[in-house]
Amino acid sequence: MSSVPRINPSILAADFVNMQAELARIAAADFVHVDVMDNHFVPNLTFGPQMVERIQATSPVPLDVHLMIDDPDRWAPGYAELGAASVTFHLEAAREPLSLARRLRDIGARAGVAVKPATPVDALFELLDEFDQILVMTVEPGFGGQGFMPETMPKLRRLAEEARRRDAQVWLQVDGGISESTIAQAAEAGADTFVAGSAVFGNDDPDAAISALREIAAAHAHR
């Protein structure tokens, strides 16, 4: 696990019409978080490979693609082939999560797995070395701007403790309702990678917002 907090702004909160300019505003970010939704796995529709390819071509920072889609076994490798640095699929949607994670790594992307708020994480304990990132959703996936769910923190804490016990080099990410008022809770529970949407893009100075979030997370990092 890493001790350096990563801040990944979510473009769900960006101005889609001016995407290139919006991406230029977050040069201080570690990654840009790209939510792909298919209106099946979650009740919302965003965009697909063509848009991700354009974001990849114009982003000043690497892409952290989060697939909220059915059949990631079929579709996820394509996002890795587009050059995304990290591709995360949902445990609830994948038929063969281990095979898919290995395929993503073979292509050259970091392999991530995400769990919804109600999904247990115990089954992942034996598999921590198979993933580069585990995303604990801190809202129900599908829409930006939702409130942070503190009841997801116990399972994040258990994941962090298990990763530490096994010396697993897996990043623990949280996504949903992350702001200056909630990031400390997630950092204390063990998260080291934070997706923030409106807390970044809603600020007049996104890079300053990123720095502030990073400082709070570092001050409250899980020891």
Side-chain angles (χ1 to χ4, degrees), residues 121-141:
V121 293
D122 306 61
L124 295 173
F125 289 171
E126 297 289 335
L127 310 175
L128 291 177
D129 288 332
E130 298 283 352
F131 300 104
D132 299 294
Q133 176 170 276
I134 298 176
L135 167 53
V136 173
M137 292 298 299
T138 46
V139 296
E140 288 295 339

Side-chain angles (χ1 to χ4, degrees), residues 1-221:
M1 294 175 63
S2 170
S3 59
V4 180
R6 284 167 290 272
I7 307 297
N8 302 2
S10 169
I11 59 168
L12 270 188
D15 178 357
F16 283 12
V17 176
N18 298 296
M19 185 60 73
Q20 187 168 0
E22 290 284 76
L23 290 168
R25 297 171 72 212
I26 59 165
D30 296 279
F31 294 79
V32 57
H33 190 79
V34 181
D35 287 305
V36 175
M37 308 184 199
D38 63 0
N39 207 31
H40 293 283
F41 181 70
V42 291
N44 196 3
L45 183 66
T46 54
F47 37 73
Q50 294 85 0
M51 182 68 170
V52 173
E53 187 171 21
R54 290 299 301 140
I55 295 169
Q56 170 72 22
T58 57
S59 176
V61 294
L63 267 56
D64 172 31
V65 175
H66 176 196
L67 301 176
M68 288 174 268
I69 63 173
D70 285 339
D71 201 7
D73 302 77
R74 176 182 179 187
W75 299 109
Y79 289 91
E81 289 164 355
L82 289 176
S86 178
V87 178
T88 297
F89 59 88
H90 268 265
L91 184 64
E92 302 90 353
R95 294 188 307 275
E96 299 288 345
L98 281 188
S99 296
L100 180 53
R102 290 169 181 171
R103 173 75 175 126
L104 293 172
R105 282 177 161 180
D106 286 345
I107 295 169
R110 294 178 60 83
V113 64
V115 290
K116 293 181 179 181
T119 301
V121 293
D122 306 61
L124 295 173
F125 289 171
E126 297 289 335
L127 310 175
L128 291 177
D129 288 332
E130 298 283 352
F131 300 104
D132 299 294
Q133 176 170 276
I134 298 176
L135 167 53
V136 173
M137 292 298 299
T138 46
V139 296
E140 288 295 339
F143 293 93
Q146 298 183 67
F148 178 81
M149 298 172 65
E151 59 268 33
T152 59
M153 291 299 96
K155 71 178 180 182
L156 174 60
R157 191 170 289 107
R158 291 179 63 217
L159 272 171
E161 290 168 354
E162 193 68 17
R164 184 182 299 274
R165 188 176 74 82
R166 295 171 182 267
D167 196 27
Q169 303 304 304
V170 62
W171 295 356
L172 298 183
Q173 185 178 67
V174 286
D175 179 4
I178 298 300
S179 67
E180 289 190 22
S181 64
T182 60
I183 195 169
Q185 293 180 62
E188 288 169 353
D192 55 25
T193 308
F194 306 85
V195 178
S198 53
V200 172
F201 284 108
N203 193 294
D204 290 338
D205 187 344
D207 276 350
I210 289 166
S211 295
L213 288 168
R214 193 179 281 126
E215 287 175 11
I216 296 169
H220 292 84

